[in-house]
């Protein structure tokens, strides 16, 4: 249940700056990913978006920049990460399609 709520709390918006893992309104972590500066038709920007979504998903699931490699590897293999990243991709696609 926590994973579903965590995924639901993931926010992707087009005008805000990237903010990794602040505490969400219901006590779950979330991340904001900036999209406004990206043109997804450009391969480099598509890669940047995927990197941002992956980094934000890691942060929302508990990894930090200073986390040990083993911690990041464990989080990357978790249901939390997979579900959060999938939800983030769906949300990003919807926001980009609405532009």
């Amino acid at each position: 249940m926590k994973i579903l709520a965590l995924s639901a709390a993931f926010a992707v918006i087009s005008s805000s700056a990237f903010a990794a893992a602040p505490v969400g309104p219901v006590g779950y972590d979330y991340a904001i990913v900036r999209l406004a500066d990206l043109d997804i038709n450009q391969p480099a920007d598509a890669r940047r978006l995927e990197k941002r979504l992956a980094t934000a998903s890691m942060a929302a699931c508990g990894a930090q920049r200073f986390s040990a490699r083993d911690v990041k590897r464990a989080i990357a293999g978790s249901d939390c990460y997979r579900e959060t990243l999938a939800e983030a991709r769906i949300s990003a696609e919807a926001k980009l399609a609405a532009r």
Side-chain angles (χ1 to χ4, degrees):
M1 185 61 149
K2 181 178 178 183
I3 292 171
L4 294 177
L6 179 65
S7 296
F10 196 99
V12 178
I13 60 175
S14 60
S15 61
S16 292
F18 180 80
V23 176
V26 292
Y28 294 103
D29 289 342
Y30 69 97
I32 298 170
V33 176
R34 187 171 39 113
L35 302 175
D37 64 329
L38 299 176
D39 176 4
I40 295 307
N41 296 320
Q42 300 298 320
D45 282 352
R47 286 189 301 272
R48 278 187 198 95
L49 175 59
E50 184 61 26
K51 174 88 170 133
R52 289 177 188 178
L53 294 176
T55 300
S57 296
M58 289 289 284
C61 291
Q64 304 297 324
R65 281 182 274 161
F66 55 83
S67 294
R69 188 178 343 190
D70 291 340
V71 171
K72 290 180 180 179
R73 188 176 305 128
I75 290 172
S78 72
D79 289 341
C80 175
Y81 176 74
R82 284 189 296 276
E83 291 176 16
T84 301
L85 183 56
E87 186 71 27
R89 286 176 177 146
I90 291 167
S91 183
E93 287 175 17
K95 294 288 183 182
L96 291 168
R99 292 205 261 185

